[in-house]
Structure formats: structure tokens, C-alpha cells
Amino acid sequence: MMPRGGAQARAEQLATLDKLAHEMFVAPEIGRLIDELVPYGETLDYDSDDAALIRRSARDYEKAHRVPPELSAEITRQGAIAYEAWVDARQASDFGKFLPYLQKNVELKQRYVDCFERADETYDVLLDDFEEGMKTAEVREVFDQLKAELLPFIAEIQEHQDAVDDSFLHGNFPPDKQREFSLEIIRRFGFTDDQWRLDPTVHPFASGTCPTDIRLTTRYAEDNLESIFSSMHEFGHGCYEHQVDRALDRTPLCSGASLGLHESQSRMWENLVGRSLPFWRYFFPRIQDAFPELGSVELETWYKAVNKVQPSLIRVDADEVTYNFHVILRFELEQDIIDDAIDLADLPELWDAKMKEYLGIDVPDEARGVLQDVHWSFGGLGYFPTYSLGNVISVQIWERALEEMPDLYDQFEQGEFTPLREWLRHHLHRYGRKYTPRETLEKAAGSSLDAGPYIRYLTDKMSEVYGIGAPV
Ligand code: ZN
């Protein structure tokens, strides 16, 4: 909502706040208190809130105190400035305009990496900020599996595109109706007017200051219904924050355990729930009421359309299967960026080559290529892999939920989502940040990171949608 003119002042304000908060947290007194508390924490029950609070705070402190407050402030300040440069560059579709800011961001990130002990790979340090404890090598292993299994599958689907008609997804859908329908869905999921909001934005996100103040944003395009899926996505993020145990309120533990786990929740509501046939058995007659032009479409046809797999240019618009390759491309480039293995001026070219290699797509301009995402403008290198990790994790948790609640899909058909939400509260959300992401995943899914369930889910579902035999 801020006018553009406020950007420079906001950059300075954010940098000041960041520096003050950082200085307060890394003050020697906090270090002394933590040193005193750690042995005490070890005498407590490992699962108690106090033990977790000490353990997690000690870990946060250990990381934070390595970074000089000036560097932390500079990263924040440059990020806010580079964001504006990125907006302009994207508008002009001119990477050259963004390049000097990206160079500065990368240089700061390299100084940041130098604050930490040498990791197996430089990228490990960046990844750890978003997915604590995850190694680049582990991510690479998962991504290599996705490449090996899904690239040939996408190629096969390409030959069966006639099986899926999605022409009716483009039409004239009044935004106020879209909002109304999105609200109808997420209210059934658990959105309530006294503790949640849904507002329009350019780039959808969820944010909140506490479990009783959850703010979702979405965007409405008159010619499509993407807002409905993005509302379900953001509900998933909001629900995670909303259901953290109230005993953790106003502590550093009162939020999700990692970005990957967070994304597992948004993708679960958006895809595993919101693109399932039972979900649409309940909601399809309702969306037909809201948008009469869908009146002549069959449920099965609709279900196939919302699951269509089609290589495309933009990550945030990508389908469930090709989405991962947008992420893998960025993950591979980012490692070269932080390692100084490439000249940043060559990024557009390298980007386009990978789009061609993975998705067979020619990139027409830099706005729809290397400049499409905001992340590099705020120095968020290491962030992208968590999107695909979220996909992988979402199905691991989903399989466990289905095992324990075999009638889950029957409930969706009745418009009933409370048992799923409550199951997620119990097995994942309530823990907040009490445990490491690895421990949290183990509690929620009963297993450690494994791409198998996700690959099976995608190939089974899409084989059904496209009427092709599932690969053995
Ligand atoms: Zn998300």
C-alpha cells in the first residue's frame, strides 16, 4: 500500500530496526544468560516448552552473534533499495538495470557466508537460513530424483495434451465473485472473520503477528480463476501459524519450523485438497452457481482442467509437475552465483538455456525470464529449494494423514475439512518452532525426507488425468 516515493525512507527504517533488534539479541548479556540456561535446559524433559525454548534460542543466538550488526543492517538496507531497482528493471524487461544491485547483494551474501565456519558447500550456509540443518547435497539428491522420474513423464504428457481441455478456465470472472467464492472455500477450511483477513495484492502472501491475527492476500485476474487456488495456498500458510500452541505465544517458538514445512502446508490445501476430485464434488456445483458460464462444464472435465500439466514461463503460474523445474533451475544457478562460478552478466543467457533444457521453452524476454521473481532483489539466495521441498514433504504428511483417516476424501465430498485441520494441528502445527525441521518432519510424517511418495502421487494422478498407463 506504500507509495513508491516511500521506498528509500522505508529502507533506512528497516535497516535501523534490523540493526537495533540484532544488537539487542547478540548483546553479551544474552549470551551469558543462554550459557547459564543451557545446562539447566538439559536437565528438563526434552519435549517441555522450556527445554525447547532454551535449545532453540541458544541455536538462534549462536548463528546471529557471528554476524556483525552493521552487515545485517546493510543487507536489509540494500535489499530494500534493490527491490525498487528490480521492480523498474522488470517493468523495462532489462536485466542490465538490475545487475549492479544484484552484484552488491551477492557480495554482501558472500560476506555473510564468511561469518560462518566452512560448510561442505558454500550454499549450505544460505540454505540453513530457510531450512535449518538441510544440506545442499540432500536437496540435490531429491532434485536428481525428480529430474530422473518427472522429466520423461512430462515429455509423455506432452503427447496427450488433447486429453485435457481447459479453455473454459479463461473467461470473464468478476473479481468480487472470485473473492466471495474464495472466502466460501477457506471459511469451510477454518477461516473466521474475527481472527483472519483476506485482502488483494500484487504478489500473494500470508503474514500475521500472532495466532489470532492472520492476514492472507490474493490477486484477482478477471480472465481466470487462479485467485481461488492462491487463496487456498495462503490459507495453508495462515493455518500453520494460527494453530501453533498458544503456550508458545510471544516466544521465538511461535511460528512454523521451516519454510519447507510451511510450504508443505500451503501446497497441501492448494493441491492435495483443492485439486482433488472429492473436493470438487462438493464445490463444483457451487462454483457453477457463482459463475454461470461454467454451467455446461462436466465435473470430470473441470477436474482434469485444473490439473493440466503444461510447461510455461512463470514459476508462480506453473502446474504441480513442471513447477519443480522452475525451482531446480534456480537452485542450480544460485550455487554458481554464490560460488562466483559464473559472471552475473551471463545470468539471462544461462537462465534461458536451462528453461530450454528442462521445459523445452524459449524465453521471449528478461521480464518473463531471469527477472520474474522478487527473491534475488532482497538477497534471498537459498530460499527457492524450500518450495519444492514443501511439495515433497506435503505428500509425506498427506500419506500419514490418509492412513490414520481413511475416510478423509469422503469428508471432503461433504464439505467437511475440520478433521484434516485438527489432525494437522495435532501432528504438526501445535509444535511451532519447538523442534528442528528434521525432528518436526519426523513427528508429522513419521519419516525423514523422501521424494518417493511425491513422485508416486504426481505420476498416479496425472496418469489418471491424461488417461495414460502409470509408469512402472
Ligand atoms: Zn507458499
Side-chain angles (χ1 to χ4, degrees):
M1 301 297 175
M2 180 184 72
R4 290 289 302 278
Q8 181 69 36
R10 182 168 168 81
E12 304 298 343
Q13 290 161 353
L14 286 174
T16 302
L17 272 177
D18 191 80
K19 183 157 172 283
L20 289 173
H22 191 84
E23 276 172 354
M24 287 168 85
F25 184 48
V26 301
E29 196 195 344
I30 300 285
R32 272 198 306 278
L33 287 169
I34 286 176
D35 282 347
E36 264 176 47
L37 280 168
V38 166
Y40 164 69
E42 282 160 4
T43 69
L44 300 173
D45 175 8
Y46 188 84
D47 293 314
S48 72
D49 291 348
D50 283 352
L53 186 55
I54 294 168
R55 218 165 45 226
R56 306 296 288 149
S57 300
R59 200 259 173 191
D60 290 347
Y61 179 84
E62 204 284 318
K63 275 195 83 167
H65 96 280
R66 291 170 175 268
V67 183
E70 292 71 26
L71 177 59
S72 174
E74 185 61 9
I75 290 173
T76 305
R77 201 176 76 89
Q78 276 301 330
I81 293 169
Y83 170 77
E84 296 302 322
W86 167 75
V87 171
D88 288 340
R90 190 169 77 149
Q91 198 137 42
S93 191
D94 182 355
F95 180 73
K97 286 190 166 168
F98 179 54
L99 181 59
Y101 298 91
L102 180 61
Q103 277 163 338
K104 182 77 194 166
N105 278 350
V106 170
E107 193 188 303
L108 288 169
K109 272 287 155 175
Q110 285 165 338
R111 278 172 56 197
Y112 176 81
V113 167
D114 288 340
C115 299
F116 297 88
E117 272 160 35
R118 272 199 79 78
D120 298 338
E121 299 182 53
T122 325
Y123 197 75
D124 288 350
V125 177
L126 301 181
L127 196 53
D128 193 78
D129 283 348
F130 304 105
E131 201 62 35
E132 177 195 335
M134 183 71 70
K135 296 282 178 207
T136 312
E138 289 174 88
V139 177
R140 192 177 295 122
E141 196 188 319
V142 166
F143 286 1
D144 283 348
Q145 234 178 312
L146 298 185
K147 278 190 195 175
E149 307 272 346
L150 296 181
L151 282 177
F153 187 59
I154 292 171
E156 195 186 347
I157 285 174
Q158 291 307 298
E159 288 164 24
H160 295 82
Q161 281 301 5
D162 297 346
V164 176
D165 170 22
D166 69 343
S167 54
F168 46 84
L169 288 179
H170 304 275
N172 187 11
F173 307 107
D176 56 325
K177 291 266 183 222
Q178 294 189 40
R179 177 180 153 80
E180 230 171 84
F181 188 69
S182 297
L183 276 171
E184 185 183 339
I185 293 176
I186 59 178
R187 283 196 174 112
R188 288 217 76 88
F189 287 176
F191 176 108
T192 56
D193 289 324
D194 62 332
Q195 301 189 351
W196 299 63
R197 288 189 59 88
L198 177 69
D199 291 288
T201 188
V202 179
H203 232 83
F205 62 90
S207 75
T209 54
C210 63
T212 51
D213 175 358
I214 304 294
R215 306 180 190 197
L216 313 181
T217 66
T218 193
R219 65 172 159 208
Y220 306 100
E222 285 206 35
D223 65 343
N224 66 57
L225 292 166
E226 277 306 311
S227 71
I228 291 167
F229 295 95
S230 94
S231 301
M232 289 192 262
H233 181 100
E234 300 308 334
F235 170 84
H237 285 303
C239 187
Y240 194 171
E241 298 288 316
H242 181 62
Q243 299 207 109
V244 173
D245 193 334
R246 297 302 300 276
L248 304 179
D249 242 2
R250 294 180 59 77
T251 76
L253 308 183
C254 190
S255 74
S258 73
L259 286 189
L261 280 153
H262 235 294
E263 193 68 5
S264 81
Q265 296 309 286
S266 54
R267 300 297 271 180
M268 184 177 288
W269 290 96
E270 176 192 359
N271 293 327
L272 291 155
V273 177
R275 291 184 209 270
S276 73
L277 188 54
F279 170 90
W280 284 110
R281 285 210 177 99
Y282 179 80
F283 277 110
F284 192 58
R286 288 166 171 78
I287 200 173
Q288 286 180 310
D289 283 346
F291 305 101
E293 63 186 276
L294 297 173
S296 59
V297 179
E298 297 289 330
L299 169 65
E300 298 275 336
T301 315
W302 169 265
Y303 166 67
K304 288 180 179 183
V306 298
N307 283 293
K308 187 175 167 111
V309 177
Q310 177 86 67
S312 60
L313 284 166
I314 307 294
R315 176 184 61 85
V316 295
D317 297 334
D319 60 78
E320 271 187 277
V321 185
T322 60
Y323 186 93
N324 300 295
F325 295 93
H326 293 268
V327 170
I328 291 171
L329 167 163
R330 288 155 175 78
F331 169 67
E332 290 172 351
L333 289 179
E334 285 189 341
Q335 291 169 64
D336 286 342
I337 291 173
I338 199 69
D339 283 333
D340 266 340
I342 52 171
D343 186 344
L344 293 181
D346 296 335
L347 265 179
E349 222 175 286
L350 294 163
W351 180 285
D352 296 356
K354 279 194 186 288
M355 278 301 282
K356 187 81 185 167
E357 181 191 348
Y358 293 145
L359 295 175
I361 288 214
D362 292 309
V363 180
D365 51 49
E366 289 169 349
R368 283 176 284 178
V370 68
L371 284 173
Q372 66 181 265
D373 282 314
V374 65
H375 305 61
W376 292 346
S377 78
F378 63 82
L381 286 102
Y383 192 126
F384 283 118
T386 65
Y387 291 121
S388 278
L389 293 174
N391 287 339
V392 166
I393 293 169
S394 72
V395 183
Q396 288 186 253
I397 297 174
W398 185 251
E399 286 199 342
R400 170 117 183 265
L402 269 181
E403 219 173 271
E404 295 189 6
M405 296 178 290
D407 64 340
L408 208 49
Y409 284 126
D410 300 331
Q411 292 165 9
F412 294 174
E413 282 195 42
Q414 308 302 317
E416 186 49 79
F417 303 93
T418 311
L420 173 63
R421 193 186 69 235
E422 287 305 316
W423 189 93
L424 290 169
R425 179 206 297 276
H426 186 75
H427 289 86
L428 172 60
H429 299 168
R430 67 186 170 112
Y431 299 128
R433 275 186 79 221
K434 269 183 77 169
Y435 301 104
T436 65
R438 214 178 282 276
E439 290 169 330
T440 309
L441 174 62
E442 191 70 45
K443 282 185 182 296
S447 54
S448 50
L449 188 67
D450 176 8
Y454 177 58
I455 292 170
R456 269 199 310 277
Y457 152 77
L458 280 182
T459 47
D460 285 354
K461 173 160 136 180
M462 299 312 171
S463 297
E464 184 209 334
V465 165
Y466 281 89
I468 48 182
V472 261

